[in-house]
Amino acid sequence: MPFTIATWNINSVRLRMPLVEQFLERYSPDVLCLQETKCADDQFPAAAFRKAGYEHMAIHGQKGYHGVATIARRPLKLVEKREFCGMGDSRHISVSVDAGAGRSVLLHNFYVPAGGDEPDPAINPKFRHKLDFLAEMHALRAEENGNSGTILVGDLNIAPLETDVWSHKQLLRVVSHTPVETEGLERLRREGGWVDLMREKIPPEEKIFTWWSYRAKDWALSDRGRRLDHIWSSPNLSPSLDRIEVLREARGWERPSDHVPVIAGFDFG
């Protein structure tokens, strides 16, 4: 049975709802995980999602900042809205979803702090916050039990591999690709038992980008991207991974997010 999950930092869901509707009509994922929704729960455009056929929603938002939401065509059960670092930010939500063929999935949706511009926690509290947030994420494990498994998606704001950035050498002291971040994220992934599904289908030797800065005059020509968006799973789900799609073309849509959607397709037949 096919089952698809998409993750997308939408950078204001109300502003970009026309793009979301376009995406849902064209790609029809079973579950869509959004980050940086930037609206309180009572302002979330739930009616538009229902009209698009997505009746089931789990929302963790706040006014003007951050925010995550998981929307689905099949029933969801809210598991947790976890607060990290005692900051009161809306950066995580987890749900349980029936993936079909007797499979149950615990799905984590994350928006990790960006970390500011200076990669020094002693002088940059935003970077300190990011490192503390990652440290707390170590408590999450890729739980699996028979036909149940775990998937973690979201904007993790770190490009861990050399091929996850346009220039490894030039970005070594740029937040999102510094060694303390990349090594920390990979250690978190390994120790938690997670599988990097994007790199299961796209070899580590190949470049993958999911984000291109608004600052570039011609993002496509310069192509100075980074892979900040990720999809991980417990080991028992990875053999069922059928495809990964990075929708690069979405960066060129009208009034786009600086991130593009990533889709993971599974075959649980």
Side-chain angles (χ1 to χ4, degrees):
M1 175 174 288
F3 177 69
T4 55
I5 292 178
T7 182
W8 192 4
N9 178 320
I10 195 60
N11 194 8
S12 178
V13 65
R14 290 181 294 174
L15 177 64
R16 301 189 212 284
M17 195 61 208
L19 298 186
V20 177
E21 292 169 328
Q22 174 183 326
F23 169 76
L24 293 176
E25 181 178 3
R26 186 177 302 178
Y27 294 96
S28 301
D30 292 296
V31 182
L32 172 61
C33 295
L34 297 174
Q35 302 87 39
E36 209 171 355
T37 53
K38 292 185 176 179
C39 66
D41 290 359
D42 61 357
Q43 297 296 310
F44 190 80
F49 281 103
R50 292 191 183 98
K51 185 177 180 181
Y54 289 76
E55 296 279 345
H56 309 281
M57 292 166 240
I59 306 164
H60 188 194
Q62 64 187 96
K63 183 179 180 180
Y65 297 94
H66 319 312
V68 289
T70 300
I71 298 98
R73 296 191 296 177
R74 56 184 71 196
L76 300 174
K77 180 181 178 181
L78 176 65
V79 175
E80 185 179 18
K81 300 179 181 181
R82 186 175 298 193
E83 181 182 329
F84 285 75
C85 303
M87 299 286 286
D89 293 341
S90 299
R91 294 184 176 273
H92 167 265
I93 196 165
S94 60
V95 301
S96 176
V97 57
D98 181 356
R103 294 272 187 172
S104 174
V105 170
L106 173 63
L107 175 59
H108 293 280
N109 182 0
F110 270 98
Y111 176 44
V112 171
D117 295 325
E118 176 58 54
D120 184 347
I123 62 175
N124 178 6
K126 291 183 178 180
F127 196 64
R128 175 77 271 162
H129 178 210
K130 183 176 191 175
L131 299 183
D132 291 345
F133 194 102
L134 291 171
E136 288 193 21
M137 283 181 68
H138 273 269
L140 289 175
R141 293 293 185 263
E143 302 171 16
E144 58 179 37
N145 182 15
N147 283 332
S148 66
T150 313
I151 294 176
L152 185 156
V153 307
D155 177 5
L156 304 187
N157 261 314
I158 298 173
L161 305 185
E162 293 186 14
T163 48
D164 289 337
V165 294
W166 66 273
S167 173
H168 168 64
K169 185 176 181 179
Q170 294 185 64
L171 294 181
L172 275 172
R173 286 199 50 79
V174 174
V175 173
S176 78
H177 194 62
T178 65
V180 68
E181 295 171 273
T182 60
E183 294 167 10
L185 186 69
E186 282 295 276
R187 185 169 60 253
L188 184 161
R189 185 183 63 77
R190 289 193 305 269
E191 292 178 358
W194 300 98
V195 179
D196 181 350
L197 293 183
M198 294 175 71
R199 287 306 185 180
E200 289 289 288
K201 289 297 181 183
I202 304 171
E205 298 77 24
E206 295 184 23
K207 287 188 179 291
I208 309 176
F209 305 150
T210 65
W211 172 92
W212 293 261
S213 174
Y214 286 132
R215 297 174 184 175
K217 291 184 178 179
D218 188 332
W219 70 272
L221 181 63
S222 62
D223 201 22
R224 295 189 172 192
R226 307 177 202 176
R227 179 173 73 123
L228 303 181
D229 305 272
H230 298 265
I231 302 179
W232 298 351
S233 82
S234 52
N236 68 329
L237 298 184
S238 63
S240 299
L241 180 67
D242 181 59
R243 62 187 172 92
I244 289 286
E245 291 184 71
V246 179
L247 301 185
R248 177 188 171 97
E249 65 270 22
R251 184 60 179 82
W253 292 349
E254 186 175 354
R255 300 183 73 188
S257 170
D258 45 0
H259 296 253
V260 299
V262 182
I263 303 172
F266 298 85
D267 185 354
F268 292 136

